[in-house]
C-alpha cells in the first residue's frame, strides 16, 4: 500500500519558517482552508497552522547547538486520532495513507487532539472544526500543475531542500533511500502509531581551529577615523541625483 510522507533532514533545516508561511498561504485558500488567525500576538492567541518549527538549544555552554525541529501531522500508519473520532470525521485514505478530516462531520470535540501524542491537531477557533496537515492533497493530485510541482507547498518552498516527499513503502523512492541510507527515524515510536513522516538525524560537524586562526585581523577601512570621508564642501548624493 502506498504511504505518502515527508522526510525532513534536521541537518540542513535552518529554521527560516519558509515551510510555515508557504503552508499557510497555500492551505488558507485551498480545500483545507481558511486558516484563520485571531489575536495572533495577544495573550489569548488563537490561530491555525498546519506546520510549525520549534527551535531550541541543546548541550552545555560553550558546546551548544541550535536545533530547528519542524513538526506537523505525521500521517501515522496506525493513527490514534481515527478510532476516537465519534463522528468518523477523521479518516485515513487507503489509496495513499494520508490522514484527513471531513469538516462536514467534525463537531470540534477535540477527542482527536487528546489522542494524538504529537500535538498535531488544531482547533479552528472560528469555524469550530479540527484541522491538520493534509500533505497538500489538493496540490499533489492537481493535474493542471507540472509534474515537478505536484508536491506539498512546504517542500516546494524549502530553500535548503531539507524536505523530501514520496512513498516510504516504495523501496526505490527518494524518501525510502534517504531513510535507509541516512538513518531516518520516526518520532516517538514507543507510542506504536508508526508515524509515516521521518526525520534524518543531525550529524555532528567537527571543526578544528588553530590558534593563529583566532587572531583578529581588522580591516583598516573599518577602523574609526580611517574611513574615507568627503569634505563638507563636496556635493552629496542628494545634490547629484534627482529622485
Amino acid at each position: 500500500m502506498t504511504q505518502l510522507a515527508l522526510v525532513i533532514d534536521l541537518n540542513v533545516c535552518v529554521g527560516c519558517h519558509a515551510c510555515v508561511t508557504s503552508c499557510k498561504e497555500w492551505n488558507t485558500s485551498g480545500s483545507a482552508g481558511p486558516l484563520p488567525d485571531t489575536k495572533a500576538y495577544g495573550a489569548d492567541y488563537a490561530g491555525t497552522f498546519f506546520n510549525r518549527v520549534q527551535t531550541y538549544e541543546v548541550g552545555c555552554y560553550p558546546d551548544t547547538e541550535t536545533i530547528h525541529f519542524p513538526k506537523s501531522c505525521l500521517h501515522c500508519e496506525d493513527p490514534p486520532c481515527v478510532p476516537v473520532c465519534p463522528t468518523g470525521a477523521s479518516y485515513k485514505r487507503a489509496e495513499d495513507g494520508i490522514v484527513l478530516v471531513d469538516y462536514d462531520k467534525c463537531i470540534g470535540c477535540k477527542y482527536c487532539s487528546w489522542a494524538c501524542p504529537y500535538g498535531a491537531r488544531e482547533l479552528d477557533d472560528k469555524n469550530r472544526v479540527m484541522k491538520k496537515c493534509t500533505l497538500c492533497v489538493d496540490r499533489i493530485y492537481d493535474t493542471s500543475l507540472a509534474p515537478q510541482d505536484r508536491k506539498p507547498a512546504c517542500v516546494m518552498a524549502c530553500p535548503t531542500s531539507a524536505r523530501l516527499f514520496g512513498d516510504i513503502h516504495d523501496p526505490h523512492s527518494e524518501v525510502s533511500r534517504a531513510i535507509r541510507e541516512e538513518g531516518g527515524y520516526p518520532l516517538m515510536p514507543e507510542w506504536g502509531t508508526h508515524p509515516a513522516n521521518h526525520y534524518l538525524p543531525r550529524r555532528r560537524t567537527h571543526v578544528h581551529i588553530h590558534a593563529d586562526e583566532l587572531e583578529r585581523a581588522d580591516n583598516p577601512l573599518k577602523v574609526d577615523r580611517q574611513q574615507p570621508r568627503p569634505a563638507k564642501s563636496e556635493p552629496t548624493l542628494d545634490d547629484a541625483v534627482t529622485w
Side-chain angles (χ1 to χ4, degrees):
M1 185 183 78
T2 300
Q3 177 60 65
L4 298 178
L6 298 173
V7 173
I8 302 172
D9 190 344
L10 299 179
N11 203 55
V12 295
C13 175
V14 295
C16 66
H17 287 71
C19 54
V20 177
T21 55
S22 63
C23 170
K24 184 86 168 181
E25 180 184 22
W26 176 265
N27 287 295
T28 198
S29 58
S31 60
L35 306 181
D37 267 318
T38 56
K39 303 177 183 177
Y41 302 101
D44 52 347
Y45 162 79
T48 306
F49 286 83
F50 289 172
N51 185 43
R52 297 181 186 272
V53 179
Q54 300 169 342
T55 299
Y56 53 91
E57 296 285 322
V58 297
C60 296
Y61 179 82
D63 298 321
T64 60
E65 291 183 86
T66 301
I67 304 292
H68 304 291
F69 195 84
K71 196 175 72 175
S72 59
C73 173
L74 303 170
H75 299 278
C76 302
E77 300 198 41
D78 296 309
C81 57
V82 171
V84 300
C85 181
T87 65
S90 293
Y91 64 101
K92 184 174 180 66
R93 291 165 42 121
E95 62 268 36
D96 54 20
I98 297 176
V99 178
L100 294 176
V101 179
D102 185 340
Y103 298 157
D104 292 333
K105 295 180 179 178
C106 182
I107 57 176
C109 67
K110 298 185 180 181
Y111 279 9
C112 55
S113 67
W114 296 336
C116 175
Y118 310 105
R121 296 277 182 147
E122 297 200 3
L123 175 67
D124 180 335
D125 196 48
K126 184 175 182 180
N127 298 294
R128 307 303 300 175
V129 294
M130 303 303 293
K131 292 185 174 178
K132 56 176 280 304
C133 165
T134 67
L135 281 180
C136 290
V137 68
D138 56 341
R139 179 185 179 92
I140 62 177
Y141 292 110
D142 187 349
T143 55
S144 67
L145 297 175
Q148 65 271 21
D149 294 334
R150 297 174 196 169
K151 299 177 182 177
C154 60
V155 177
M156 297 294 296
C158 182
T160 62
S161 300
R163 289 170 170 262
L164 305 176
F165 171 69
D167 179 12
I168 62 169
H169 285 180
D170 177 2
H172 303 293
S173 68
E174 182 183 28
V175 287
S176 287
R177 288 199 304 273
I179 294 171
R180 186 170 57 247
E181 296 173 3
E182 299 183 45
Y185 64 91
L187 187 63
M188 297 192 295
E190 63 272 21
W191 285 97
T193 63
H194 303 101
N197 285 8
H198 282 65
Y199 294 89
L200 303 184
R202 284 178 58 86
R203 299 175 287 280
R204 179 173 288 276
T205 301
H206 296 280
V207 179
H208 299 286
I209 301 177
H210 298 286
D212 59 340
E213 295 175 311
L214 296 176
E215 292 181 2
R216 180 172 177 174
D218 286 325
N219 184 340
L221 295 178
K222 298 292 185 182
V223 178
D224 288 346
R225 299 180 182 178
Q226 293 190 24
Q227 296 181 13
R229 294 184 177 181
K232 294 183 178 179
S233 59
E234 294 182 7
T236 65
L237 184 62
D238 288 337
D239 297 327
V241 176
T242 301
W243 299 100

